[in-house]
Amino acid sequence: MTASSTRDWLNELSNRYADVELVPPASEQVISDAENVLGPLPKDLAELLACSNGLIVRSFRLFSAFDPRHIKKTWESLQRFNIGPASILTDPDLSARFLVFGDIGNGFALFDRSDGTIWYFENDDDEMSQTDLTFREFIETMAENAE
């Protein structure tokens, strides 16, 4: 994905689903700050954040990179859900392997840092499940099915 194709895709998504809420783009510094705390972000995620620092569609939220200039819009951030007391993954091995990137309404979406695959778990389930979806396909599926 390039920035222009990501912007075009986000515009398409907004046209297809009227309730998609985009966030002002993250600056290079904001993305760099997130990577300094979390390690390298998956390329597709970093490109999306540079076009819209997160997005919300009903019960689905793609987490932002925290931006002190937009505290209210970015409080539910990648940093918050991956580091510290609000961290979703409390097991150090899981935290090293996965990056939590979204709230799916009844659970969370994660990137496997080792191979870029997308996983999810639901709050009432003890197991994580792997998808075979690309990042864009996952976001589109969530936009279509979020309640």
Side-chain angles (χ1 to χ4, degrees), residues 89-141:
L89 300 174
T90 56
D91 179 288
D93 292 333
L94 289 177
S95 293
R97 179 176 172 191
F98 291 101
L99 174 74
V100 178
F101 72 89
D103 180 339
I104 61 173
N106 62 339
F108 294 90
L110 310 94
F111 273 109
D112 185 327
R113 297 174 194 263
S114 67
D115 63 12
T117 56
I118 297 173
W119 293 66
Y120 67 93
F121 70 88
E122 297 177 343
N123 293 334
D124 58 352
D125 194 354
D126 291 336
E127 299 291 317
M128 293 195 316
S129 300
Q130 183 178 8
T131 74
D132 61 355
L133 300 173
T134 66
F135 182 64
R136 283 188 183 191
E137 289 168 343
F138 183 81
I139 301 299
E140 289 171 1
T141 299

Side-chain angles (χ1 to χ4, degrees), residues 12 63 67 140:
E12 252 179 63
F63 297 135
D67 185 343
E140 289 171 1

Side-chain angles (χ1 to χ4, degrees), residues 6-7 10 21-35 38 41 44-56 61-79 101 135:
T6 300
R7 249 187 312 279
L10 286 171
E21 181 185 339
L22 301 176
V23 180
S27 67
E28 287 182 27
Q29 185 62 53
V30 165
I31 293 170
S32 176
D33 289 348
E35 290 183 320
L38 302 169
L41 298 177
D44 290 346
L45 176 59
E47 286 180 1
L48 186 143
L49 296 174
C51 296
S52 176
N53 191 8
L55 84 107
I56 302 165
R61 174 186 293 268
L62 179 84
F63 297 135
S64 302
F66 180 72
D67 185 343
R69 296 171 305 147
H70 302 286
I71 292 173
K72 287 184 179 180
K73 290 281 188 189
T74 65
W75 183 253
E76 303 292 318
S77 67
L78 293 164
Q79 293 95 315
F101 72 89
F135 182 64

